[in-house]
Amino acid sequence: MLDFPYLLEAESPQDSADIEHLLDRAFGPGRRAKTSYRLREGAKPVPGLSLVARDAGTLIGTIRFWPICIGGATDALLLGPLAVTPAVRGLGFGRALMAHGLYHAKRQGHRLVLLVGDASYYGKAGFSVVPAGRLEMPGPWDPDRLLYQELQPGSFAGASGMMAPGRCGS
């Protein structure tokens, strides 16, 4: 359980180097070869949804949300990467960053969020496995790790096809 004075706030340009270092430690140097990174190419994280956690000014966690288009017709967000420094894993920082990000995504009017991750972890935050054959990703991926959450009821109903970076029609 988190005891604050930990700070959750919007990522700033000055955080870039610390975030990259944290992501390298959390996911290893091969992280950019993952298929989920193909969905971030050429896109920028959604403003106001790239968040960091700090302890006494030191960056200890990060989360980002990216615009994606499903099947050329359904706009959604791609959550990730979500990472916390090893010294504080298991203390709730990841869940706090995710809850904060999802809350603000819904307030911004976003309707649907997808991610590639562990269903046992993200399921506790309301994510479900995408039904088999419903969505495709640009590269190899494990269908059991593709998850979704509706921020607005019914927003996943018409989603099908290939996922691509950016908003539909842009």
Side-chain angles (χ1 to χ4, degrees), residues 14-95:
Q14 294 81 12
D15 294 324
S16 292
D18 290 337
I19 290 170
E20 291 303 313
H21 179 69
L22 173 59
L23 294 175
D24 283 343
R25 286 189 316 168
F27 300 109
R31 68 184 168 92
R32 289 179 184 87
K34 294 180 178 185
T35 298
S36 58
Y37 272 79
R38 301 300 69 79
L39 293 171
R40 299 177 189 130
E41 289 177 342
K44 292 187 186 223
V46 176
L49 299 182
S50 294
L51 308 170
V52 295
R54 297 184 200 283
D55 178 16
T58 300
L59 189 135
I60 58 171
T62 181
I63 190 170
R64 290 177 171 159
F65 292 80
W66 304 79
I68 59 170
C69 177
I70 302 169
T74 303
D75 283 315
L77 295 175
L78 179 69
L79 185 161
L82 167 65
V84 296
T85 194
V88 298
R89 281 195 190 130
L91 299 179
F93 289 101
R95 287 186 305 277

Side-chain angles (χ1 to χ4, degrees), residues 112-115 122 126-131 134-135 145-150 155-157:
L112 179 63
V113 178
L114 286 104
L115 64 84
Y122 290 101
F127 283 87
S128 301
V129 175
V130 169
R134 182 89 174 265
L135 302 180
R145 294 179 55 80
L146 183 58
L147 311 175
Y148 77 98
Q149 182 179 129
E150 293 180 321
S155 60
F156 186 63

